[in-house]
Amino acid sequence: MSTPLYEQQSLKIYNSISSEKETFTSITPGRIGLYVCGPTVYSDVHLGNCRTFISFDLIFRYLKHLGYKVRYVRNITDAGHLENDADAGEDKISKKARLEQLEPMEIVQKYTVGFHTILKQFNNLPPSIEPTATGHILEQIETIKTIIENGFAYVVNGSVYFDVVKFNKSNDYGKLSGRNLEDMINNSRTLAGQDEKRNPQDFALWKKAEPVHIMRWPSPWGDGFPGWHLECTVMSRKYLGDTFDIHGGGMDLKFPHHECEIAQGEAACGCSPVNYWMHANMLTLNGKKMSKSTGNTLLPQEIFSGKNDILTKSFKPTVVRFFILQAHYRSIMDFSNDALEASEKGFNKLMEAIKSIETITPSKSTSEEFIIEAWKQRCYEAMNDDFNSPILISHLFEAVKFINNLKENKAKITSTDLEVLKTTLDAFVFDVLGLQANEEAGSDLSEKLDGAIELLIEMRKEARANKNFALSDQIRDTLFEQGIQLKDGREGTTYSY
Ligand code: AMP
Ligand code: ZN
């Protein structure tokens, strides 16, 4: 048997808890447990959310490429996440259910399906397990009991709170986010509605449900619901063990969410839950974090359809993915029309070069300026250096330049080297970066569909001009049955899916 790739390559991961790049070793040789915090399914995911999930898809893909068997767990938060990420206020899902006059689980279903559809369009691989908070209420109750038994939580009036001050006596609360509990206490003022806590830094493990609260479960402390941070501790532990390899999420989850996960894990099992903490940086729009709460968002569908106020044209999902991967996952990335247009040009150049490899005739020798094996190793080194996709992409463009020289007979290559060039490009471009060639991404088809709809809109306009309303209505209604809605406006007719 040949040596697996992960034994030939030395992977370094920037560990947020040590703030250093560390050589990666998995707990079990050849296997990796990876947990990533998933979405709270109460609204459409915006491109910022997608950036984080694409970043971890790149990581998942590269670990698999190295030959690891990866168990990738990414949860769906469908209960317990309150407004403002706080311990008081309305549940985000219940609130949306109230506003839309739907059952909370209808909200959950609607936005979970939407989330999956978008990630599939971006060619993200599905996780190995996608557990939900509501599917693990019993396990969460058991963990709370253990934390109480271990002396790190207290019950007040039907709610259970984690005792941060007590925990900090034997452990270090704040080690991930670099915060100091004393400073936090000195800088905080008690917030209204939080007075049943011994200390404002304490956080809810279980919240008593007020009579109006619809998402509720029975527990030893009365009817209630679990605190937001608990589900990730419980589900990662259930599927990956007390201590597992990698935990990821967006940078904004470092505190309090991940800090609280560490505290809960340590309080429940007496061991550190995670070996490597990874945090993906934010996508910004007009220099500000893309965020649902401020309304500074762009939805993937608005980019794919071109129906938005920011872009001059539509862009395919795979081009947007390429754009995202052109920044390192730990760098802040700003979204703009110009950047996306530049990415599209680069993407097309890359795809054309890969396509044209087939037309190259091998020679008896390879030009000295391009040493295939050294180039291949540089590609690995880029990814081994904390998944540095922009550096990898710059190496891929060295190959593009070489391929273009080959096409113009300014360079030559042996058949063996040509094969290595082709398989290495395929591996990095399609398997690791997860990009899709134009045909595969279905762009031709969607362009043809756009053309066909435009034609029908034109025919409908003519029918109306001729007062043939039966035909114009038939066109509108038949398109609607197919999920295409026409909208008549002052500037003509537009459509949406
Ligand atoms: P949420 O559903 O709000 O919990 O967010 C889901 C994921 O998206 C989390 O990992 C967040 O950290 C991440 N996220 C939210 N906003 C952004 C952004 N502007 N850029 C990148 N990731 C984000
Ligand atoms: Zn989480």
Side-chain angles (χ1 to χ4, degrees), residues 35 37 75 232 247 253 257-258 261:
Y35 187 93
C37 294
N75 67 308
C232 290
H247 191 315
L253 297 184
H257 187 55
H258 291 159
E261 275 190 58

Side-chain angles (χ1 to χ4, degrees), residues 78 93 97 102-110 134 215 217:
D78 58 353
I93 288 163
L102 292 171
E103 272 292 318
M105 279 300 142
E106 284 181 285
I107 295 292
V108 166
Q109 178 72 6
K110 176 175 168 187
T134 56
M215 298 178 84
W217 292 265

Side-chain angles (χ1 to χ4, degrees), residues 4-61:
L5 267 178
Y6 60 80
E7 283 185 9
Q8 301 165 37
Q9 303 294 336
S10 169
L11 174 65
K12 282 205 163 63
I13 294 184
Y14 181 89
N15 194 344
S16 305
I17 205 157
S18 65
S19 304
E20 274 175 22
K21 277 186 203 164
E22 297 175 11
T23 302
F24 176 76
T25 354
S26 61
I27 297 167
T28 313
R31 289 181 183 271
I32 292 179
L34 167 67
Y35 187 93
V36 174
C37 294
T40 304
V41 281
Y42 74 105
S43 63
D44 291 317
V45 278
H46 56 67
L47 193 66
N49 302 130
C50 294
R51 180 188 180 198
T52 286
F53 297 117
I54 291 172
S55 296
F56 285 102
D57 185 58
L58 170 80
I59 290 161
F60 180 40
R61 282 169 174 274

Side-chain angles (χ1 to χ4, degrees), residues 36-43 45-53 55-56 77 81 85 92 115 228 248-254 258 280-285 288-292 296 333:
V36 174
C37 294
T40 304
V41 281
Y42 74 105
S43 63
V45 278
H46 56 67
L47 193 66
N49 302 130
C50 294
R51 180 188 180 198
T52 286
F53 297 117
S55 296
F56 285 102
T77 298
H81 197 170
D85 300 347
K92 292 188 184 198
F115 171 63
W228 170 43
M251 204 75 101
D252 55 345
L253 297 184
K254 222 185 211 183
H258 291 159
N281 216 328
M282 297 291 110
L283 183 73
T284 58
L285 181 61
K288 290 196 200 78
K289 182 187 162 190
M290 202 177 269
S291 157
K292 172 86 190 152
N296 187 38
M333 178 175 210

